[in-house]
Amino acid sequence: MLELNNVCKVFNAGTVDENRLFDNFSLSVSEGEFISVIGSNGSGKTTLLNIICGTMRPDSGKVLFGSADITYAPEYKRARRIGRVLQDPKMGTCGSLSILENMALAENKNKRYSLGRAVNKQREEYFKSLLESCGMGLENRLGVLAGSLSGGQRQALALIIATMTDIDLLILDEHTAALDPKSSETLMEITQRVVTEKKLTTLMVTHNLRFAVDYGTRLVMMHSGEAVMDISGDKKRELHIEDILGKFNEISIECGN
């Protein structure tokens, strides 16, 4: 359902700082896959997500989504079919609006706007049912400003908002990185539940190796713009953290560290 074909991306081209991150890089994502993407800083993880979401364009190559070539499609058009949760809890919600107002705006995604009321009180019960799955009591706090929530609560709300409308792909960009361990665990449990119930194709970038091993149907390790490890199926289910650490150490030695 998603393909990157022979993608090239060069930063600071023509200068002494030139960095050819992707050089004919290809990746195929099947419908329903939950892929954990790991790798050291500078390996290409975030650049990969930015190219998929349209925040950044490749210098060459193609990005195919379904049967459509979206290589040069603007970010706002891709957002109609792609939901994204970022690392910063403040980025996925509007802090000056209430939980109810945030959800009402999200529900109107891809719809024509008029001068009518943005918040439909009749939808409150539906919003509450979505929030109940978080197990955080947010369904009883619809009038509370999103900015007053804890980081974990706000990320949970951002996840619910990102998946409220019909999307084909969910992008999780280190969405647990800014949270404490307990909140991270809770958010991952919510993430698994949402992805499973909605049968969402998902790409999750994470620095947490245990999450990468415990969650998802496929694991991809990036290094210098290449996929140096790509494991799925039974091999993914049998994978241990030690297997990943071994590859990390191998890469570190190759780099002279």
Side-chain angles (χ1 to χ4, degrees):
M1 67 97 69
L2 173 68
E3 290 187 22
L4 279 73
N5 292 335
N6 300 316
V7 167
C8 294
K9 184 62 186 178
V10 180
F11 294 94
N12 304 311
T15 72
V16 295
D17 296 320
E18 181 174 304
N19 176 23
R20 183 174 291 275
L21 182 57
F22 288 135
D23 192 0
N24 292 320
F25 174 79
S26 295
L27 179 71
S28 179
V29 179
S30 299
E31 186 174 353
E33 281 192 306
F34 182 169
I35 303 178
S36 298
V37 182
I38 60 174
S40 57
N41 291 333
S43 62
K45 306 184 302 297
T46 299
T47 300
L48 171 65
L49 298 189
N50 286 337
I51 288 175
I52 292 171
C53 293
T55 310
M56 182 183 295
R57 288 183 178 178
D59 296 313
S60 61
K62 289 186 176 181
V63 180
L64 305 177
F65 198 17
S67 58
D69 185 343
I70 63 169
T71 309
Y72 299 106
E75 184 177 9
Y76 75 91
K77 286 189 176 180
R78 301 188 200 196
R80 296 171 183 169
R81 301 172 62 190
I82 299 175
R84 188 173 187 178
V85 183
L86 299 170
Q87 177 177 339
D88 187 348
K90 298 175 184 176
M91 296 295 289
T93 56
C94 180
S96 61
L97 297 180
S98 68
I99 294 176
L100 174 62
E101 290 166 337
N102 271 277
M103 297 185 76
L105 286 175
E107 190 180 38
N108 280 294
K109 177 182 176 180
N110 299 333
K111 296 180 181 178
R112 291 183 176 274
Y113 282 85
S114 65
L115 295 178
R117 291 182 178 273
V119 177
N120 184 347
K121 290 286 186 178
Q122 296 177 351
R123 300 295 287 168
E124 285 192 22
E125 291 305 314
Y126 170 63
F127 295 156
K128 287 181 179 180
S129 68
L130 294 178
L131 294 171
E132 280 176 350
S133 64
C134 297
M136 295 178 172
L138 295 178
E139 66 275 11
N140 300 316
R141 305 177 65 190
L142 289 180
V144 171
L145 295 182
S148 67
L149 301 178
S150 68
Q153 291 172 331
R154 199 158 175 180
Q155 281 295 70
L157 177 60
L159 177 63
I160 296 299
I161 283 175
T163 57
M164 278 182 66
T165 56
D166 291 331
I167 57 173
D168 298 309
L169 178 66
L170 175 63
I171 297 291
L172 304 173
D173 192 354
E174 299 186 46
H175 71 313
T176 65
L179 307 180
D180 62 76
K182 187 175 186 303
S183 297
S184 296
E185 294 282 355
T186 301
L187 185 61
M188 280 308 307
E189 292 171 3
I190 297 170
T191 298
Q192 182 65 66
R193 186 159 53 246
V194 170
V195 168
T196 301
E197 290 177 354
K198 294 181 175 289
K199 300 179 180 179
L200 291 173
T201 304
T202 304
L203 266 74
M204 177 181 74
V205 164
T206 179
H207 280 295
N208 189 311
L209 298 186
R210 186 171 62 77
F211 289 166
V213 169
D214 290 348
Y215 293 92
T217 60
R218 180 177 169 191
L219 182 143
V220 173
M221 180 188 289
M222 301 291 298
H223 176 63
S224 297
E226 296 182 4
V228 296
M229 182 182 284
D230 192 341
I231 301 174
S232 58
D234 290 338
K235 289 185 177 180
K236 169 63 171 64
R237 286 187 285 272
E238 297 169 359
L239 193 65
H240 298 284
I241 293 178
E242 291 75 14
D243 302 322
I244 303 175
L245 286 174
K247 189 63 177 178
F248 265 127
N249 291 335
E250 179 185 327
I251 291 171
S252 181
I253 293 172
E254 289 176 0
C255 294
N257 296 325

